Amino acid sequence: MKDNWLDRRAAEDASVVHDVETIDTILRRAADLRTFVRVLLPSGGRVFDGRIHTVTSDALFVEPINVDDTFVVPTMTLGMAQFRSGEHNCSFITWSRGSGEYRRGETLTLVEFQKPEAMIIAEGEDTIGPFDGSQPTFAWVSPQGSIRLVARSLGPHLGIFRLPEMHPPVAVGDTIGLHPSQAAPEQAVQGLVRWRHGREILLEIIDEHLALWTQHRHDAGQALPEAA
Amino acid sequence: MSGGEQPIERRFLANSSTDVLALLGKCCYEERLATLFVPSLPEATTARFIACTGDRLLMEPEKKSDVLNTPPLSLISGVFTLDQDAYLFQTWLRQGRTMDLSKDRLIFELAAPKAVVSIQARSAYRVPIDPESEFAVIVIAAGKTIPVTPLNLSLGGVRVRLPAELGSLPVGTSLKVALKLAPITALLSATVRWAQGPIVGLIFDECVKEGELVPTAEIKELVRMLEATHLRQVFNRVA
């Protein structure tokens, strides 16, 4: 029988919100928190990162980050933006009204977009990460001893890890045990390797160990500053 | 702004699986291109619609992409245009690797999107008009001269709110429109392109020919002046 783990673990369906007040609330909260946003300009496939800066009655301002002096977004450019609001993934499509410098104590470069009137909201899982690749670490309880796995992201049922350069053979379908590096081996949980690319693996934690996994995931999230 | 004054610029396909499937099916039939976007990747990928079933969407990338190396269940968004509208869908990746459907084709397998939003394609940027603006618009129709409230202006047209006593104007109505902002005055022929109650969109007949924008010098100058005003107001708001 085919294992439909993908469908089993898929997040809930995305839905469309086009209530103006709801969208305004989501965007203003994102602006208050200077929420990280990734913007795609489909013409040319350009992507830039930024933080939601200001929301007005008809406009949305994004402060781009890590851009140089040549950065410019022309007016009438189609833009698609994606950001997280709590446990939700939010995305929308709108037109730019151009980019420019604004003075607000300091001089800022802001990109103005027409405030979206529709938004897709996906009730994504409460995934922690992506991490920067240095922390947290888990120990794989392997026959060859303790193998260090670097966590990339930790979801309620799934974890993505990076294997060290030297590691025992691992393939899709294998089951491995792992525990936080600072925890005892008896705290290990079992995970099934569902995907592998190079040294990256995706583990699905077995149902019997989800309670323990939830605790490990919580501890890992507490130990780290929130990743962008 | 009351609900009745909301301009209708977008068409929504809110969780209507039939509509979404029909839309995606048309994209597959036309083998349209979409720009795919995975939040964890720094670059976008262009891919072509290939096939869509009730729960799967297959897309063929134009070239090898990091999407192929992305874990399954990753969030993925796509932007495409169809019939002059732009669309956005959001879904998740089923297969982050290639599938060999016909020897050498790389295929992304996505969950069929359930939610799609669209935005009307535009030929010109619309400058919002502040209610306090001195920009005045007068509609001349059926022998009457009617002052109206301008809501936005572009190189190709103007959106206005009609006075309550006038009601609405049918789509297709031909009229004259006078635009005034000292020292500019422009008198143009216009056609009602769309209407929703007292809010109507007028297209300037002289400024749009065979789908191409050919704005008059007066309209160009009016848009420039109003855009400058708008940007100053934006500056004040942000500051």
Side-chain angles (χ1 to χ4, degrees):
Chain A
M1 183 176 165
K2 189 180 177 185
D3 183 358
N4 63 345
W5 74 276
L6 272 173
D7 294 307
R8 190 155 37 86
R9 295 303 180 208
E12 291 180 35
D13 288 342
S15 59
V16 174
V17 171
H18 49 84
D19 174 67
V20 175
E21 289 185 11
T22 302
I23 292 170
D24 185 69
T25 301
I26 292 170
L27 290 176
R28 287 184 191 275
R29 180 173 179 272
D32 288 344
L33 298 173
R34 291 286 191 271
T35 298
F36 179 85
V37 62
R38 182 156 273 182
V39 180
L40 163 69
L41 306 175
S43 58
R46 289 170 58 201
V47 176
F48 72 88
D49 294 336
R51 295 199 180 273
I52 296 178
H53 187 278
T54 302
V55 179
T56 70
S57 59
D58 68 347
L60 166 71
F61 292 85
V62 171
E63 180 182 10
I65 53 179
N66 298 327
V67 295
D68 60 25
D69 292 342
T70 63
F71 177 83
V72 64
V73 178
T75 56
M76 289 292 294
T77 303
L78 192 65
M80 173 259 163
Q82 197 274 336
F83 65 98
R84 279 184 72 89
S85 177
E87 296 179 6
H88 300 102
N89 287 301
C90 305
S91 58
F92 60 83
I93 187 170
T94 188
W95 297 103
S96 86
R97 290 175 174 170
S99 58
E101 290 190 337
Y102 296 86
R103 276 185 290 281
R104 186 173 173 272
E106 57 184 334
T107 300
L108 294 171
T109 295
L110 297 176
V111 184
E112 181 184 354
F113 291 101
Q114 178 171 307
K115 192 171 173 182
E117 294 171 7
M119 191 178 282
I120 297 179
I121 297 183
E123 303 208 6
E125 292 197 324
D126 184 18
T127 299
I128 303 170
F131 298 111
D132 63 7
S134 60
Q135 291 286 341
T137 62
F138 282 69
W140 172 8
V141 189
S142 80
Q144 286 84 353
S146 179
I147 305 296
R148 185 170 168 270
L149 298 176
V150 177
R152 305 292 289 177
S153 68
L154 306 172
H157 306 92
L158 306 169
I160 298 174
F161 298 91
R162 187 168 181 80
L163 296 161
E165 285 193 26
M166 300 295 290
H167 60 81
V170 58
V172 172
D174 290 350
T175 298
I176 68 174
L178 74 164
H179 59 83
S181 297
Q182 70 275 18
E186 51 266 30
Q187 296 291 304
V189 297
Q190 299 281 317
L192 187 59
V193 180
R194 289 297 193 179
W195 170 88
R196 179 178 167 192
H197 176 74
R199 288 159 54 200
E200 300 261 322
I201 59 171
L202 185 151
L203 292 182
E204 182 187 21
I205 308 302
I206 66 171
D207 289 345
E208 293 80 3
H209 291 173
L210 282 178
L212 192 51
W213 170 252
T214 299
Q215 184 59 49
H216 292 340
R217 197 168 64 91
H218 175 76
D219 294 344
Q222 290 290 309
L224 289 168
E226 187 181 353
Chain B
M1 181 179 279
S2 70
E5 294 173 342
Q6 286 294 333
I8 300 298
E9 288 190 348
R10 294 164 176 75
R11 289 185 288 110
F12 306 109
L13 297 159
N15 296 334
S16 164
S17 56
T18 305
D19 284 352
V20 171
L21 267 179
L23 176 72
L24 298 175
K26 186 173 183 184
C27 291
C28 294
Y29 179 76
E30 297 183 4
E31 296 192 348
R32 300 200 73 82
L33 284 172
T35 304
L36 298 181
F37 177 62
V38 177
S40 60
L41 297 178
E43 293 181 354
T45 295
T46 306
R48 196 174 297 282
F49 286 91
I50 297 299
C52 185
T53 64
D55 62 351
R56 311 281 168 97
L57 172 63
L58 302 184
M59 301 192 72
E60 180 181 15
E62 287 205 305
K63 60 182 181 181
K64 198 172 179 189
S65 155
D66 283 343
V67 175
L68 297 168
N69 308 329
T70 302
L73 297 172
S74 296
L75 187 72
I76 189 165
S77 301
V79 178
F80 61 94
T81 57
L82 183 69
D83 298 335
Q84 298 189 334
D85 283 346
Y87 292 82
L88 164 69
F89 66 79
Q90 183 169 294
T91 185
W92 50 274
L93 191 66
R94 296 187 67 91
Q95 294 278 351
R97 58 183 175 78
T98 59
M99 286 172 53
D100 191 1
L101 289 189
S102 59
K103 300 295 182 189
D104 56 356
R105 295 177 82 177
L106 310 177
I107 302 291
F108 296 149
E109 184 185 351
L110 313 178
K114 298 290 193 299
V116 180
V117 295
S118 70
I119 187 169
Q120 190 180 59
R122 292 177 174 178
S123 55
Y125 171 62
R126 296 172 186 176
V127 184
I129 308 299
D130 187 89
E132 305 298 319
S133 171
E134 294 178 357
F135 177 50
V137 178
I138 295 168
V139 167
I140 304 157
K144 294 180 182 173
T145 300
I146 308 153
V148 297
T149 306
L151 301 176
N152 66 41
L153 176 74
S154 75
L155 294 173
V158 65
R159 174 184 298 159
V160 300
R161 184 191 303 124
L162 303 173
E165 62 270 23
L166 192 67
S168 189
L169 287 170
V171 172
T173 301
S174 294
L175 43 78
K176 294 277 186 186
V177 60
L179 312 172
K180 296 181 180 178
L181 181 64
I184 304 288
T185 299
L187 181 64
L188 299 161
S189 298
T191 303
V192 177
R193 171 61 68 89
W194 64 263
Q196 189 199 19
I199 311 291
V200 296
L202 307 177
I203 186 170
F204 304 139
D205 298 336
E206 292 101 319
C207 297
V208 182
K209 292 187 177 160
E210 296 178 352
E212 296 293 321
L213 274 176
V214 284
T216 63
E218 291 86 358
I219 289 295
K220 282 183 185 174
E221 181 60 13
L222 281 172
V223 168
R224 189 198 65 75
M225 292 165 62
L226 289 166
E227 188 172 27
T229 303
H230 169 66
L231 290 174
R232 278 197 297 276
Q233 289 166 341
V234 164
F235 173 87
N236 290 334
R237 278 197 298 239
V238 173

